[in-house]
Every structure is written in C-alpha cells, then in structure tokens.
Amino acid sequence: MTRTYVVTGSASGIGKATSELLRERGHRVIGVDLRNADVEADLSTTPGRERAVADVLTASDSKIDGIIAAAGIAAPKALTVAVNFFGVTALLDGLAGALAQSDSPRMAVVSSMASLQENSAELVDALLAGDEDLALKIGTALEAEGSEAGFLNYTSSKRALSRWVRRESIAPRYAGTGIPVNAVAPGTVLTPMTRDLLVSEEGRTMVDAAVPMPLNGHSDPVVIARLLVWLTSEENTHVTGQTIYIDGGADAALRGDDIWN
Ligand code: NAI
C-alpha cells in the first residue's frame, strides 16, 4: 500500500537515501530541508519549524503515515542543539495530529553513537525539559570554551534525543494511539557530514578509535535508510522506545557484553 512519509534532511546523506528508498518502494515522500526539498525550511528556528509544519500539512492534506527525522548537524556550536533536538521534537509535535489520521502511523529519528559519548548533563536536562532558551545559553557557553567543549552540543543533543524517544514512546499520545517511536544510532556513515574528517589518515584514525566498526566498517547511507524504512513500515507493530545501534559492532565493542547492570 502506498504511504505518505515526511523525511527531514532529505537533500543529503541519510535523509536523501531514505527518501530514495521509500520512493523506489512506491511511497510518497514529502522532503524537508534547507534547500532542494519539497518543503524548504530552517528547522533551527521557531518560525522555520512553524513554516515546515504548515507547508507539510498543506502538501499532505493533513494525513501522514510516517515521519523520519534525519536532519542534523555536527558543529561544535549551540546551533547543533537547536537543529538536532528542537528541530526534531517541535516538528513531531506539530505533525502529531496529521499522523494520527493514519491507520498505521510510525515515527523514527536519527540519533547517533555519539549518544553514548561524554556529554553535558546540564544541557541534556535543559533539552529534556524543553527549555530552548536555557539550552542555547548552556550550548553557547560550551561553544565559547573551544571545539572540544563545543562538541558536547552534539553528544548532548543525541543523548537527549534518545532519552526523549524512550520517554515519549510510552506516552498516551504515542503508544496510546498505536504509534511506534524509535531512534537509530549509526556508527560512521559515508555522507557529506563525515567527508572532510575521513579524507586524511589522521582523521580516519581518530574516528575509528572513537567508533570502532569490526563488522563491515563504515557504512553507506542506504544501510541506515533500510532500518528507518522498516521501523516506520506497517510491519513494525511492537518495537518502540528503542535506540537501535546500526554501527558495525561499535556499541558492543565499546560497552562490552553486559549493559544490564
Ligand atoms: P548530511 O549533512 O549529509 O545531511 C544532513 C541534512 O540535514 C542536510 O541536507 C542539511 O541541509 C539538513 N539540515 C541541516 N540543518 C538543517 C536545518 N537547520 N533545517 C533543515 N535541514 C537542515 O548528514 P548525514 O550524515 O546524512 O546526517 C543525517 C543525520 O544522521 C544527522 O542527524 C546526523 O547527526 C546523524 N548521524 C550521522 C552519522 C554519520 O556518520 N554521517 C553518524 C551518526 C549520526
């Protein structure tokens, strides 16, 4: 059956591969991105998010079967939390009514292996409290300390996103209305986001030390797209609240065989 999907970050990398796969399988995709998309909007700002929601509702006649939020940046800046956290949650909130019109509504977001890395607990708390002013203040202070502290904006945005998924998945508005909500956490994926870093031997060594991938190494974006497409398909009726590491074994290599204590 043809379904209507909203895919953010559709102009590049994982979002682009996901849009292409969905279209190949006969579905309708409303792509959202800064440029080169059906809906062009800046998800880092409140007016941009409102515009995205309004334009998606118009394009979909207010009925959506699946939402896949892949738009994101990895800059060591406060802007990263605005895009990666509020650019996801505000859009999902704004489109929840249209999703509820579907017989089999599904949502998935793109977190990261970085959700397991060192982060700022204070920033994660501000994000989970939905306090964007405070989060941007903390993020800007981290940014001013330099790129290492600034990168905590990225790790914190992904930790908060994975925790948001876990918390919200069982709420009445999602589990209670039959909507599975999940995150995928890729290892290193060959997209424009990682291109510059992987060009040099030094960059590759650094990335592979932080994210070791014994199974098949770095992945193409379509690998992540296939999991996102399954998670948001009618076949997924009971997987919810999860962050699924799709990382060539990085999580198992880093956290070991007992994560249940
Ligand atoms: P990419 O840079 O190829 O694509 C990201 C897309 O998001 C771009 O088309 C960009 O225009 C869009 N975007 C950025 N800021 C936006 C804004 N303010 N409003 C609307 N759209 C905006 O990156 P990639 O690799 O495809 O990343 C997709 C997601 O996957 C991100 O959330 C990233 O954090 C995550 N990820 C990527 C990994 C990798 O190794 N490439 C690893 C783990 C997670």
Side-chain angles (χ1 to χ4, degrees):
M1 204 181 77
T2 300
R3 289 162 59 77
T4 299
Y5 286 86
V6 176
V7 178
T8 75
S10 60
S12 177
I14 295 169
K16 186 177 179 192
T18 304
S19 302
E20 287 169 358
L21 186 59
L22 286 167
R23 288 191 177 115
E24 261 169 49
R25 294 188 180 178
H27 300 297
R28 177 172 178 227
V29 176
I30 301 168
V32 181
D33 209 305
L34 287 169
R35 283 169 289 280
N36 303 322
D38 305 292
V39 169
E40 296 186 350
D42 182 352
L43 296 172
S44 72
T45 68
T46 301
R49 293 169 201 148
E50 287 171 355
R51 163 115 174 266
V53 167
D55 288 358
V56 166
L57 291 177
T58 304
S60 65
D61 282 332
S62 298
K63 181 175 177 294
I64 298 166
D65 298 296
I67 305 177
I68 296 173
I73 56 173
K77 296 178 177 175
L79 180 66
T80 296
V81 298
V83 180
N84 294 9
F85 187 82
F86 295 107
V88 175
T89 56
L91 194 80
L92 295 175
D93 284 345
L95 297 177
L99 198 60
Q101 299 305 308
S102 170
D103 294 333
S104 37
R106 309 281 184 263
M107 278 174 21
V109 308
V110 181
S111 181
S112 170
M113 268 302 292
S115 62
L116 296 175
Q117 293 170 352
E118 185 192 352
N119 56 65
S120 157
E122 193 192 6
L123 179 51
V124 171
D125 286 348
L127 292 169
L128 286 170
D131 190 337
E132 190 162 5
D133 289 341
L134 178 60
L136 289 176
K137 204 171 135 202
I138 298 167
T140 304
L142 291 169
E143 180 180 337
E145 285 178 41
S147 60
E148 203 171 311
F151 192 66
L152 298 180
N153 278 292
Y154 185 68
T155 57
S156 304
S157 74
K158 297 299 188 181
R159 173 67 66 92
L161 193 57
S162 281
R163 287 185 55 185
W164 183 88
V165 160
R166 202 163 173 81
R167 182 181 79 189
E168 296 299 317
S169 64
I170 50 174
R173 65 179 180 150
Y174 293 125
T177 46
I179 306 180
V181 185
N182 292 285
V184 301
T188 304
V189 188
L190 302 167
T191 71
M193 183 180 274
T194 51
R195 194 178 288 149
D196 290 349
L197 208 55
L198 297 176
V199 164
S200 69
E201 183 66 44
E202 193 194 349
R204 284 196 297 275
T205 304
M206 193 188 81
V207 168
D208 292 344
V211 184
M213 299 177 70
L215 176 72
N216 294 330
H218 304 160
S219 77
D220 283 323
V222 69
V223 170
I224 315 304
R226 291 188 192 114
L227 179 57
L228 285 166
V229 168
W230 185 81
L231 285 170
T232 55
S233 71
E234 288 171 294
E235 282 189 4
N236 177 22
T237 54
H238 285 75
V239 178
T240 201
Q242 301 304 308
T243 291
I244 301 179
Y245 297 93
I246 172 162
D247 62 358
D251 171 39
L254 293 168
R255 285 203 292 173
D257 66 359
D258 187 358
I259 55 166
W260 291 275
N261 280 315

